[in-house]
Amino acid sequence: MSRHLRAAGQASAAAVLVVLAGEVWTPVRAQDHPDPYEAGKAVYTRWCAPCHAAGVTHPGTNALTVKYRGVKPGVLLEWQDLQAVAVKFVVRHGISVMAPFRKTEISDQELDALAKYLSRNTPPT
Amino acid sequence: MRTPPEVSQVDFASAIAEFKRTVGQEWVFTSDADLDLYRDAYSPFLNEPEERIASAAVAPSSTEEVQEVVRIANRFRVPLYAISTGRNLGYGGSAPAYSGCVVVDLKRMNRIIEVNEANAFALVEPGVSYFDLYRYIQEHRLKVWIGCPDPGWGSVIGNAIDRGGGYTTANYRNHFDSHCGMEIVLPSGELLRTGMGAIPKAETWQQYKSGCGPWIDGIFSQSNYGIVTKMGFWLMPQPEAYLRCTVSLPRYKDLGPLVETLNYLENSRITSGFPDIASPLNGYPPIGQLQLWNETGPPALTDEHLKLLASATLGYSANREAYGRRTGIAYWELWLSFHGPMEVVEAQWQATQRRFAAIEGAKFRVVNRVALPIDPTKAEDYHEPELGIPSLRAFSIGARTPWSPTPSKGHMWFSPIIPRTGAAIIEANRVFSAAARDLNMPLFRTFTMPACFWERSFIFILATPVTEDPATNKRYREGFKKLIEVGGQHGWGEYRTAPVFQKTVMDVYSFNNHALQRFHETLKDAIDPNGILSPGRYAIWPKHLREKQS
């Protein structure tokens, strides 16, 4: 592959050839964050926010709003009683049209960080 | 530990040990809990004995590791099944076509090897999702667009080799057509590069598709002849402007001229964005508005209109047409989009209007006239994939909403190709609505409009729900198969389907005593003599399993 990259770079001096350190780009993973809170937030932003951020354009938020009818917020980040164990269960088992996430997508370590992040408002029992 | 069929426990244990040595212990999965993650979450056989399940999963991180996994599988005759991001929901998800396969999960191969702005192409690995590629392009401020389908978490490679599509211009929204160059691990473990990639010093792997000699890329799509480990894609240079317009036509009989005029304009590249045909009078939205309808509810209709909707045949009644004329509600509404410099797209829109003005009563409207790039915070004002922006909004289909308070468990896509004529739309509705009514299937209950993903044909893309109730799922499965057969009797075939329906679909492609299917099998026997790679995918079975499956 390195040969191909060099070749492509030589092909056009004007080309904007983007190759990051180590030749290739990979997504930032939770373990890249030393701070567990930031690690959990990174997992949430990458995997959960497209469905669960604020607004009806997010199917997860729309679904939770209808399901809980004001008893709980539609936006997952606003829940005050989300248990880490519940986060882990739903991520690994799915619910409704939300399919489970495999360990190659969200590793156990990343799931720990995510569960802590999403349950950060929940008082300890 | 689960064991694949026809593999001894001792051999399987040896294979698993070697997989672990190759990819690392952490990336070989054998426990029931871990393997549950490889079930098809939208399987119509959910929790039934026929559900396709894996015996193990192995997740290599490099082409070399894929090669070694394949060599090990050959040694122990262990069947493999390759997935990329595993998000092919509605078409099989992450589960194998043949129960007992070891899933080769390529999600860890998530490298974006190159995005070349000057020549507008990308080279990626199978674990790269549309979100990944989009974010990379945004982070690096590159002026290129990706073509993406509705669910942005899908694999750029996976969707292309399952021959999926997106919503940008014609030459980019057919994802397999827009690829240029593949790298494939063959069932022997040998590595192959196609097109110009076969020349060791070529600088044109992503610049010229076919190289010289037979162009074989197509056989690695919807098949089981190799594991694609890299693939190049042509990207669309970021256009300067986006113009979204509608053409409204008042009469039922205008459907034929609408399609003929659209075909002329699209095949001449006067319009090349995703065309979208709605029927406001029949209460049928354009695909681009579907997510909005799911999120905020369909537009309110008058009681008179609702009454008329209940009383038409094949979307027509004289009263309905008269109601449309009286209220100004169009029978047909064609949404068109144009991409390019503002003066060019305005000229294309002018030419488009001149052509459609030949149809009496045609009305024209500009919906969006936008200088690009748009402010990313405004993306949700649009159907994002039409601007090359991935999202997950489409999961409002089936999810709980105020308008659909009972969510489904998933869906299977019924997606036959029909001819691109107005007459074919009406004929397909006649045939499928009668069949669906007889089968009590929740499809074709209204006058249903096809989609214009492909340039020269129409395609219906209809979600058949998957539920928690096995009896309902059984009825839908059987109805789904029957609809495939009914379509086949009229010359209409699915473009893609989930493993549980692949045999039924491929049986429809039966010209000359199934010559195509027999050719697929001839290839399989030559390329994969041990039959280890994705047995049964698109009904291509290796010799030793062929008779058992028929």
Side-chain angles (χ1 to χ4, degrees):
Chain A
M1 189 42 49
S2 58
R3 177 174 44 69
H4 166 73
L5 291 171
R6 280 198 300 276
Q10 289 156 4
S12 168
V16 180
L17 178 68
V18 181
V19 181
L20 294 187
E23 291 188 349
V24 291
W25 179 91
T26 54
V28 173
R29 296 181 71 88
Q31 56 263 37
D32 300 331
H33 292 278
D35 177 348
Y37 178 89
E38 289 300 322
K41 189 176 171 184
V43 178
Y44 169 83
T45 304
R46 177 167 159 73
W47 288 105
C48 315
C51 261
H52 286 284
V56 295
T57 59
H58 300 95
T61 299
N62 214 7
L64 291 174
T65 303
V66 178
K67 184 173 182 178
Y68 291 105
R69 299 190 178 283
V71 177
K72 292 176 191 289
V75 179
L76 215 46
L77 281 178
E78 294 172 7
W79 282 35
Q80 303 297 314
D81 58 354
L82 193 51
Q83 301 293 329
V85 65
V87 173
K88 291 183 181 182
F89 184 86
V90 173
V91 167
R92 292 292 187 227
H93 292 81
I95 187 165
S96 173
V97 292
M98 171 182 157
F101 290 83
R102 308 187 310 280
K103 293 185 175 181
T104 51
E105 297 173 297
I106 301 174
S107 69
D108 283 340
Q109 187 189 348
E110 289 170 319
L111 186 54
D112 280 340
L114 175 68
K116 281 189 188 123
Y117 177 68
L118 284 177
S119 59
R120 71 205 181 291
N121 297 329
T122 306
T125 50
Chain B
M1 191 165 71
R2 301 175 191 175
T3 310
E6 303 184 11
V7 179
S8 74
Q9 284 190 2
V10 173
D11 278 356
F12 194 54
S14 301
I16 292 292
E18 294 211 22
F19 289 150
K20 286 179 178 173
R21 266 197 294 278
T22 303
V23 303
Q25 183 127 351
E26 183 190 359
W27 299 112
V28 177
F29 304 103
T30 55
S31 74
D32 285 349
D34 285 349
L35 293 178
D36 276 351
L37 302 173
Y38 288 88
R39 291 170 65 181
D40 173 12
Y42 291 8
S43 171
F45 278 110
L46 197 68
N47 300 323
E48 295 184 61
E50 295 91 337
E51 187 185 336
R52 316 288 170 91
I53 55 166
S55 62
V58 53
S61 67
S62 67
T63 296
E64 292 73 21
E65 288 182 6
V66 174
Q67 289 178 274
E68 189 54 27
V69 164
V70 169
R71 290 189 196 108
I72 295 163
N74 262 301
R75 209 150 53 241
F76 296 101
R77 303 289 194 269
V78 170
L80 304 175
Y81 188 84
I83 64 166
S84 42
T85 62
R87 295 274 150 194
N88 199 13
L89 295 165
Y91 290 115
S94 45
Y98 176 53
S99 269
C101 282
V102 173
V103 171
V104 181
D105 180 347
L106 302 171
K107 182 62 198 170
R108 293 177 67 219
M109 293 181 63
N110 56 11
R111 284 166 283 251
I112 294 169
I113 297 149
E114 183 178 1
V115 176
N116 186 309
E117 185 183 58
N119 204 21
F121 66 77
L123 180 67
V124 298
E125 289 187 334
V128 173
S129 71
Y130 294 101
F131 279 132
D132 293 335
L133 187 54
Y134 177 77
R135 286 167 184 157
Y136 175 92
I137 288 167
Q138 294 304 303
E139 280 170 21
H140 296 89
R141 300 176 186 280
L142 301 174
K143 292 187 174 56
V144 286
W145 275 18
I146 63 168
C148 56
D150 278 299
W153 56 15
S155 161
V156 178
I157 288 182
N159 195 49
I161 61 175
D162 214 24
R163 298 208 291 265
Y167 292 91
T168 60
T169 63
N171 43 332
Y172 298 102
R173 70 172 178 267
N174 182 324
H175 291 163
F176 191 76
D177 275 8
S178 70
H179 97 275
C180 188
M182 301 172 104
E183 180 186 84
I184 300 136
V185 174
L186 294 172
S188 63
E190 193 174 26
L191 196 62
L192 174 77
R193 285 186 179 177
T194 67
M196 301 307 286
I199 299 181
K201 288 188 176 177
E203 298 170 1
T204 48
W205 192 19
Q206 274 63 62
Q207 300 182 19
Y208 183 69
K209 291 185 178 188
S210 59
C212 206
W215 188 25
I216 61 171
D217 291 36
I219 70 165
F220 297 102
S221 65
Q222 295 193 349
S223 73
N224 50 17
Y225 303 136
I227 297 178
V228 179
T229 46
K230 290 183 189 66
M231 202 160 159
F233 292 92
W234 288 352
L235 305 175
M236 178 171 167
Q238 177 185 291
E240 290 178 23
Y242 172 71
L243 190 61
R244 187 100 167 109
C245 311
T246 64
V247 179
S248 299
L249 300 171
R251 289 166 307 231
Y252 187 74
K253 70 173 187 180
D254 294 333
L255 183 59
L258 179 156
V259 175
E260 281 176 27
T261 310
L262 168 64
N263 290 353
Y264 169 80
L265 292 166
E266 194 174 19
N267 296 341
S268 309
R269 289 286 193 268
I270 295 166
T271 178
S272 65
F274 177 70
D276 208 351
I277 310 175
S279 179
L281 206 46
N282 284 329
Y284 205 89
I287 291 175
Q289 297 283 302
L290 198 54
Q291 59 189 25
L292 196 64
W293 283 35
N294 286 329
E295 289 158 2
T296 59
L301 303 180
T302 64
D303 288 345
E304 186 182 358
H305 195 168
L306 287 170
K307 207 176 290 176
L308 287 165
L309 282 183
S311 63
T313 306
L314 293 179
Y316 177 74
S317 74
N319 287 344
R320 188 181 299 194
E321 189 164 300
Y323 176 78
R325 295 303 285 259
R326 181 156 46 85
T327 56
I329 298 174
Y331 230 117
W332 314 111
E333 186 178 65
L334 172 64
W335 292 60
L336 292 168
S337 56
F338 304 86
H339 305 77
M342 193 63 90
E343 65 272 28
V344 173
V345 297
E346 293 285 7
Q348 288 172 314
W349 173 227
Q350 289 298 323
T352 298
Q353 291 177 79
R354 181 162 52 74
R355 281 268 162 181
F356 275 110
I359 304 172
E360 186 194 334
K363 289 185 180 159
F364 306 101
R365 176 170 68 108
V366 172
V367 182
N368 305 108
R369 183 182 272 114
V370 188
L372 297 170
I374 60 162
D375 174 354
T377 63
K378 305 280 188 212
E380 64 184 30
D381 293 347
Y382 304 87
H383 176 217
E384 293 90 334
E386 291 181 45
L387 298 173
I389 302 171
S391 89
L392 291 181
R393 277 173 87 177
F395 283 88
S396 60
I397 297 171
R400 197 189 303 263
T401 69
W403 329 101
S404 177
T406 309
S408 75
K409 188 75 186 74
H411 43 256
M412 40 195 183
W413 294 110
F414 182 68
S415 39
I417 300 277
I418 66 164
R420 221 191 223 228
T421 63
I425 297 175
I426 293 168
E427 175 65 1
N429 269 280
R430 186 185 68 75
V431 170
F432 282 130
S433 65
R437 213 172 22 249
D438 290 348
L439 296 161
N440 195 14
M441 290 287 283
L443 302 177
F444 292 99
R445 290 301 178 90
T446 59
F447 190 79
T448 302
M449 300 306 294
C452 305
F453 288 102
W454 317 130
E455 287 175 79
R456 305 284 172 138
S457 58
F458 282 132
I459 181 170
F460 290 104
I461 306 259
L462 304 178
T464 312
V466 173
T467 73
E468 306 265 12
D469 173 36
T472 305
N473 289 343
K474 181 169 187 286
R475 177 159 62 80
Y476 286 170
R477 281 193 315 262
E478 290 172 357
F480 197 101
K481 284 187 178 177
K482 191 71 191 164
L483 287 179
I484 292 166
E485 289 166 1
V486 166
Q489 287 157 14
H490 291 79
W492 309 323
E494 302 292 291
Y495 91 116
R496 175 187 196 180
T497 199
V500 296
F501 302 116
Q502 285 170 353
K503 182 180 186 311
T504 311
V505 167
M506 293 312 295
D507 279 350
V508 164
Y509 288 80
S510 62
F511 171 77
N512 190 19
N513 188 26
H514 302 269
L516 182 63
Q517 179 67 23
R518 286 183 285 113
F519 184 72
H520 293 163
E521 290 166 356
T522 302
L523 285 179
K524 184 67 178 170
D525 294 343
I527 297 170
D528 183 12
N530 294 328
I532 52 118
L533 190 55
S534 303
R537 183 160 173 76
Y538 282 91
I540 306 166
W541 292 96
K543 198 175 263 178
H544 73 280
L545 295 174
R546 206 169 289 153
E547 282 181 11
K548 289 180 194 166
Q549 299 299 327
S550 58

